[in-house]
């Protein structure tokens, strides 16, 4: 089981929870007519996001995967599924906190949306100030692992 997060093109994704989740289901059917490992198929902002995140979380496969098999053993290697409007990323649970922080920070920097698929389910879009805001008013933006630590 993996820790999954997604970034997306905010100009294409619906900004209501119900419509977004329907759109997400369609996006993750992976029916586009290309392979899903090359960022050439996605938007400039998503491609720029990808080119930066792989510095800390190398791609498991595709043209940006490490050449050495030993490098694929790293806990930081991530599985990227790249569509026209989304990049879905699967991480090892051991790096979940770092992965969330890095993805969130780079999503804000590159002005792409962010979906916390394995955690809170929060859906965030860039606002006019360039910050990511949740479309779910009931979600208080706290890291899920900090909530769990308090519960223990």
């Amino acid at each position: 089981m993996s820790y999954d997060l997604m970034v997306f093109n905010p100009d294409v994704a619906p900004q209501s929870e119900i419509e977004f989740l329907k759109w997400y289901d369609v996006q993750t059917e992976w029916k586009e007519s290309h392979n899903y490992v090359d960022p050439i198929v996605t938007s400039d902002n998503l491609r720029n996001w990808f080119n930066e995140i792989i510095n800390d979380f190398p791609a498991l496969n595709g043209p940006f995967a490490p050449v050495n098999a030993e490098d694929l053993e790293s806990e930081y290697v991530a599985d990227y599924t790249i569509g026209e409007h989304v990049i879905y990323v699967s991480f090892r649970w051991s790096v979940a906190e770092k992965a969330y922080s890095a993805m969130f920070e780079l999503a804000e920097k590159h002005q792409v949306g962010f979906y916390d698929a394995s955690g809170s389910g929060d859906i965030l879009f860039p606002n006019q100030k360039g910050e990511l805001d949740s479309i779910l008013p009931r979600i208080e933006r706290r890291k899920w692992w900090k909530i769990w630590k308090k519960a223990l």
Side-chain angles (χ1 to χ4, degrees), residues 45-59:
N45 286 6
L46 287 170
R47 190 175 316 110
N48 292 337
W49 175 92
F50 174 81
N51 287 332
E52 194 162 347
I53 193 104
I54 60 172
N55 292 321
D56 294 324
F57 297 94

Side-chain angles (χ1 to χ4, degrees), residues 3 5 7 49-50 52-57 76 80 89 91 95-110 112 114 132 143 145:
Y3 178 66
L5 300 169
V7 288
W49 175 92
F50 174 81
E52 194 162 347
I53 193 104
I54 60 172
N55 292 321
D56 294 324
F57 297 94
Y76 290 95
Y80 296 87
V89 192
F91 298 96
V95 299
E97 187 172 348
K98 291 177 184 175
Y100 182 98
S101 294
M103 280 195 61
F104 182 91
E105 179 182 317
L106 292 176
E108 201 165 69
K109 176 180 179 181
H110 293 286
V112 296
F114 179 72
L132 291 178
K143 309 270 190 300
W145 54 85

Side-chain angles (χ1 to χ4, degrees), residues 41-81:
V41 303
T42 200
S43 71
D44 289 341
N45 286 6
L46 287 170
R47 190 175 316 110
N48 292 337
W49 175 92
F50 174 81
N51 287 332
E52 194 162 347
I53 193 104
I54 60 172
N55 292 321
D56 294 324
F57 297 94
L60 176 64
N61 48 40
F64 294 91
V67 176
N68 295 329
E70 292 174 6
D71 293 337
L72 293 173
E73 304 286 328
S74 167
E75 68 180 338
Y76 290 95
V77 169
D79 187 13
Y80 296 87
T81 306

Side-chain angles (χ1 to χ4, degrees), residues 6 34 38 97 131:
M6 185 180 85
H34 58 80
D38 193 337
E97 187 172 348
E131 300 166 342

Side-chain angles (χ1 to χ4, degrees), residues 2-67:
S2 59
Y3 178 66
D4 301 333
L5 300 169
M6 185 180 85
V7 288
F8 57 88
N9 182 339
D11 297 329
V12 176
Q15 291 197 26
S16 77
E17 181 180 16
I18 292 171
E19 292 305 312
F20 179 89
L21 293 174
K22 288 179 188 176
W23 178 81
Y24 166 80
D25 285 343
V26 170
Q27 297 303 306
T28 56
E29 288 175 1
W30 314 119
K31 291 185 177 182
E32 296 170 9
S33 60
H34 58 80
N35 71 48
Y36 283 88
V37 295
D38 193 337
I40 194 74
V41 303
T42 200
S43 71
D44 289 341
N45 286 6
L46 287 170
R47 190 175 316 110
N48 292 337
W49 175 92
F50 174 81
N51 287 332
E52 194 162 347
I53 193 104
I54 60 172
N55 292 321
D56 294 324
F57 297 94
L60 176 64
N61 48 40
F64 294 91
V67 176

